[in-house]
Amino acid sequence: MKIALNRSSWRFWLLYFFLHFSLLLIVLLFFKWLWSTMNSKPVAIDLGEVFFESVCYSALLSIGKFISYRIGKKRYEKNPVDRRRNNLFRE
């Protein structure tokens, strides 16, 4: 089952950003916790630093994906080729 998403909408890119932000935040918190448990010294996890890293990484990922989407869209508009899957029985 496919879910239709409008990638031209700003809501899609906002959802994309928040999805990456939450996943990166969880991963970074897990690795910081794992690192602090593996070390013999107690290390306090700086939440501000983790949030900042998550925002930066997710912004870079979202902006990069948005740029590649726009480039692909412009290429397709420049050269619209028939991209249907079944090429065998076409009239």
Side-chain angles (χ1 to χ4, degrees), residues 17 21 50-60:
F17 172 78
F21 172 73
V50 175
F51 286 152
F52 181 73
E53 288 175 356
S54 299
V55 166
C56 289
Y57 290 146
S58 58
L60 286 174

Side-chain angles (χ1 to χ4, degrees), residues 31-91:
F31 279 110
K32 294 267 185 177
W33 172 78
L34 190 63
W35 180 260
S36 67
T37 57
M38 288 175 59
N39 286 340
S40 59
K41 300 176 186 175
V43 177
I45 298 174
D46 187 12
L47 294 179
E49 178 185 356
V50 175
F51 286 152
F52 181 73
E53 288 175 356
S54 299
V55 166
C56 289
Y57 290 146
S58 58
L60 286 174
L61 288 171
S62 299
I63 290 171
K65 192 67 167 180
F66 178 73
I67 290 171
S68 67
Y69 163 71
R70 294 293 291 185
I71 289 172
K73 187 176 177 183
K74 293 290 181 185
R75 277 189 192 157
Y76 180 75
E77 289 172 357
K78 192 174 181 181
N79 186 16
V81 178
D82 190 13
R83 289 183 169 83
R84 287 183 282 185
R85 293 200 183 256
N86 190 2
N87 294 330
L88 296 175
F89 303 106
R90 192 167 310 154
E91 298 172 1

Side-chain angles (χ1 to χ4, degrees), residues 3-14 16 62 64-73:
I3 298 174
L5 295 173
N6 185 10
R7 290 177 59 176
S8 297
S9 173
W10 62 271
R11 286 184 226 128
F12 170 78
W13 294 106
L14 190 64
Y16 192 82
S62 299
K65 192 67 167 180
F66 178 73
I67 290 171
S68 67
Y69 163 71
R70 294 293 291 185
I71 289 172
K73 187 176 177 183

